[in-house]
Amino acid sequence: MMDPALQQFLSERLKKKTSSAPNEAELQQELNDWLPTAVTKTHKLFRVTHPVKFSHPDVKNTSEIRVSAERKPDGFLRSGNVAVEPDMVFDTAANIPILKFLSLKLADGLSILAHLENDSDLVKQQLELPSLPYTDIRQGLLQINQLPDRTSTSDKIKQVYFPVDGGYHLLSLLTPSGLMFKLKERINSIRFAETTKQAREARRNQQHHDTGYQEFYGLTEIGFGGTKPQNISVLNNQNGGTAYLLPSLPPPLTLNKLQPPKTDFFLQSVYAKHFLEKFQALHALFQDNVPANIHVREGRDYWLFQIAEQVMETVWALRELPGGWSEHGQLPPTQKIWLDQDHAEQREQADDWLDAVIVALADWLAITYKHAIGERQAKALGDAELKHFRQLLDDHREVLR
Amino acid sequence: MNRILLIPRLRIHNANALSSPYTIGFPALTAWLGGVHALQRKLNADGLPQLSFSRTAVACHRIDLQTYKHAGDYLYSIVGTGNPLDKSGERPSFIEEARCHLDVSLAIETQGIGKANEDEFLAAVNRHLPKLKWAGGDSLGYKAPQWLAIAGDNELANLTRKLMPSYVLKQRRDLMAQAMTEGQDAIDALLDYLAVHYQSRTDDDGHVSWTAERKAKGWIVPIAAGFHGVSALGHAEHQRDQITPHRFAESLVTLGEFVMPHRLKRLDDLLWRSRYDADNYLYLIEQHSRNA
């Protein structure tokens, strides 16, 4: 009895020749006719892990690579650290049916190729033909695992020098298509999972869901091979010629087009409401009744400096403005030095202005804390606290410079 | 004393944003260190043979990635540029190239330059810098390079404030290695840190609330941090020169964290260096790890 997968494969082939549904004898005849020719062509097909045509579709006659690297918990996405099947490449599209044939999954779920590698009785029985002895068929088809004995790269492959011990190694960069498409498969299996759909729906309706779900943002799609993805590799063809790229970008910097302050930075450029959460966190620690232990003190300093840093974000943004804007305003001289790009050199060379900024910023912290929390709730801050604020800012003075 | 060459506000047009077969965005660290090394070679040949650049930080002030997304699309697409036509005047089979425009400052740890040849050094830097490409992109300009000497971690702030406002990469390979030690493979380990995990909780009154969290705090991203050799070292036909040992290689990707430079307390968390690990065929761009 012919395996159903094999039957279907041969029926598809015969469909092009006859319109009627073929019987088993006709299928057997097709196999007998086709397979010996296929066997003679298999030496031009290769199982590889790094198909060169991902580097450039016109690359020809280079080494074919099938790497087996060791798995190690080294923290790297690389060959060896994910189980993937090799990809397959071929000389002309006319030979794609051979690859399809080898990939056919027999009734037990293993591919014909895997069966041939195991030399199983099942595949022997399926491929016993009058036209060619089974041993020849097996040997011929397994040539797909034999890679050409040549070491050749190409000017179409990116070659980079990497410094090694005072000299260099030259690296020809290839794409591990198995890994690249496994990444896409994993992302899609999460995106399109039934539980993901249910959980998304539950969240939309503000209902509970036991497992929750995961979402990936900012993915980019990249294409290989244009309208002919099959010319790049079998995996590329199976993936419609597209893979996913993960975003690798810094957070956006909020260097908005700010209005420069006219008379006072603290009055016109920073607003208490933008610091509310941080002041509330600070307030919670001020209220802590535990005799001031190291964690509480460190926690206060942490939030104070978080606030100071946020102030600096506005300072940095103002320094991005074309220099000279402070010239005609009524800003205190120390703020002109602090904020205007034109005074960059002065900021480097002098320190007195920075001392003044530290005093002003410490005052602002105390006033804004009271303002943000409310006069009645806020802890009364005295000279000791103010002195501590100044000391803290002074410890980080280079950040404020 | 650490001597640092600071190249402030380098503006780069059309840099290669395809940092690996799995990532898009900030150009690969290998490309930045390659550019720094190219500058060193030019300076070595121009009267400063003893100079070497040992470690580098790249502070990103601004990056515009050339991708687009139509309303309703889930995926971004790459903004394609015209490829050179082939010999017959046809467009070649399409290879998508991802580009970005960006402003960076480079902090380069330097050996072999003393007080005596400081001026000569900066003059040579200014001679060669305008001609260099960075990550395949063109340099549109930069501010005057500076020469700093800082006493290690104690004076780190003198350097980092000059990089503000920006983000720099800190190595977080530890996160991924830990997940892999616990049994995840490299893709699961990576994706787990990049996914936003949505979870719901029901409180005592039956009120449901949903939270969105990532596995680790901080702005964690996948980064291209070197290459992995996938064939034996030897010689190949059509290699760029016939003398240098050649091998085929693939990108090496791990996790990194974008942080504002002034948050860093150690120079080792700022600067990246290259290293060859012969036993594992790894060509690494890495930060000095305290455990290494």
Side-chain angles (χ1 to χ4, degrees), chain B residues 14-37:
Chain B
N14 270 344
N16 180 8
L18 200 60
S19 44
S20 80
Y22 331 100
T23 54
I24 188 170
F26 190 63
L29 286 162
T30 46
W32 293 113
L33 266 69
V36 168
H37 190 74

Side-chain angles (χ1 to χ4, degrees), chain A residues 50 55-58 63 65 67 69 71-79 81-83 151-155 157-164 168-176 179-180 182-183 186-187 191 199 202-203 206-226 244-253 255 305-306 309 313 316 320 341 348 398-399 401, chain B residues 9 16 18 20-26 37 41 60-61 63 65 67 74-76 78 93-96 143 157-158 161-162 164-167 173 176-177 180-181 183-188 190-191 194-200 202 208 210 219 221-223 227-228 230-231 233 235-241 244-254 258 260 262-263 274-276 280 282-285:
Chain A
H50 294 71
S55 302
H56 196 291
D58 298 338
S63 307
I65 304 288
V67 69
R71 181 166 176 168
K72 284 185 182 173
D74 54 12
F76 289 120
L77 175 55
R78 59 163 175 83
S79 288
N81 278 345
V82 180
T151 309
S152 184
T153 180
S154 162
D155 58 3
I157 295 176
K158 194 172 176 186
Q159 300 182 29
V160 300
Y161 288 95
F162 196 96
V164 173
Y168 300 91
H169 286 179
L170 184 56
L171 307 174
S172 286
L173 300 184
L174 299 179
T175 300
L179 281 181
M180 188 171 70
K182 185 62 85 178
L183 177 73
R186 295 267 174 91
I187 291 172
R191 277 176 69 198
R203 177 163 162 258
Q206 280 300 299
Q207 288 162 349
H208 177 71
H209 189 272
D210 284 339
T211 58
Y213 67 105
Q214 296 171 34
E215 205 78 77
F216 297 95
Y217 295 100
L219 298 175
T220 300
E221 188 169 56
I222 183 166
F224 298 94
Y244 291 167
L245 299 168
L246 301 160
S248 177
L249 289 166
L253 272 172
L255 302 179
F305 193 62
Q306 288 281 313
E309 275 185 334
E313 286 175 23
W316 291 318
E320 297 290 310
Q341 196 184 106
E348 290 295 321
E398 293 309 320
V399 176
R401 187 185 291 272
Chain B
R9 302 292 176 139
N16 180 8
L18 200 60
S20 80
Y22 331 100
T23 54
I24 188 170
F26 190 63
H37 190 74
R41 284 173 60 96
C60 182
H61 303 287
I63 178 165
L65 182 60
T67 56
Y74 170 73
L75 299 166
Y76 286 88
I78 291 168
S93 320
F94 198 58
I95 308 172
E96 296 190 5
K143 288 191 177 174
N158 289 345
R161 70 180 160 77
K162 288 175 185 285
M164 294 305 297
S166 72
Y167 285 94
R173 187 178 143 198
M176 200 158 143
M180 289 169 74
T181 303
Q184 285 186 312
D185 74 9
I187 291 181
D188 281 346
L190 187 73
L191 289 180
L194 304 179
V196 175
H197 299 258
Y198 288 94
Q199 298 285 343
S200 72
T202 311
V208 175
W210 280 82
W219 193 275
V221 295
I223 56 166
F227 305 110
H228 173 218
V230 295
S231 72
L233 203 56
H235 288 273
E237 288 174 50
H238 309 298
Q239 68 178 69
R240 271 168 73 178
D241 76 73
T244 310
H246 168 275
R247 74 173 10 146
F248 289 94
E250 62 182 11
S251 285
L252 207 49
V253 163
T254 186
F258 273 113
M260 286 208 168
H262 72 266
R263 295 277 168 95
S274 66
R275 181 171 71 88
Y276 174 48
N280 296 302
L282 297 179
Y283 297 83
L284 300 164
I285 306 294

Side-chain angles (χ1 to χ4, degrees), chain A residues 302-314:
Chain A
Y302 171 82
W303 285 113
L304 281 165
F305 193 62
Q306 288 281 313
I307 295 163
E309 275 185 334
Q310 194 182 326
V311 171
M312 282 309 292
E313 286 175 23
T314 306

Side-chain angles (χ1 to χ4, degrees), chain A residues 247-280:
Chain A
S248 177
L249 289 166
L253 272 172
T254 47
L255 302 179
N256 306 329
K257 282 152 201 80
L258 286 183
Q259 283 299 318
K262 287 199 170 61
T263 58
D264 186 76
F265 169 79
F266 293 105
L267 289 178
Q268 287 145 7
S269 300
V270 283
Y271 308 99
K273 64 178 178 198
H274 293 156
F275 298 82
L276 205 53
E277 282 175 23
K278 287 172 184 152
F279 275 114
Q280 279 162 349

Side-chain angles (χ1 to χ4, degrees), chain A residues 65-175:
Chain A
I65 304 288
R66 186 170 69 243
V67 69
S68 55
E70 208 181 319
R71 181 166 176 168
K72 284 185 182 173
D74 54 12
F76 289 120
L77 175 55
R78 59 163 175 83
S79 288
N81 278 345
V82 180
V84 291
E85 274 291 300
D87 201 343
M88 293 194 264
V89 295
F90 43 85
D91 54 343
T92 79
N95 287 330
I96 292 177
I98 305 173
L99 299 171
K100 283 195 176 143
F101 173 81
L102 288 168
S103 310
L104 289 179
K105 296 239 179 348
L106 296 185
D108 63 352
L110 281 180
S111 67
I112 289 186
L113 180 62
H115 274 285
L116 287 168
E117 284 172 333
N118 303 339
D119 202 7
S120 74
D121 290 338
L122 179 64
V123 77
K124 193 185 279 184
Q125 178 203 325
Q126 291 288 322
L127 303 184
E128 202 76 72
L129 298 179
S131 57
L132 195 67
Y134 167 73
T135 48
D136 290 359
I137 293 174
R138 175 168 182 268
Q139 202 187 357
L141 290 175
L142 283 181
Q143 287 183 86
I144 196 166
N145 283 333
Q146 283 165 25
L147 301 184
D149 185 23
R150 61 176 170 237
T151 309
S152 184
T153 180
S154 162
D155 58 3
K156 294 191 169 71
I157 295 176
K158 194 172 176 186
Q159 300 182 29
V160 300
Y161 288 95
F162 196 96
V164 173
D165 302 332
Y168 300 91
H169 286 179
L170 184 56
L171 307 174
S172 286
L173 300 184
L174 299 179
T175 300

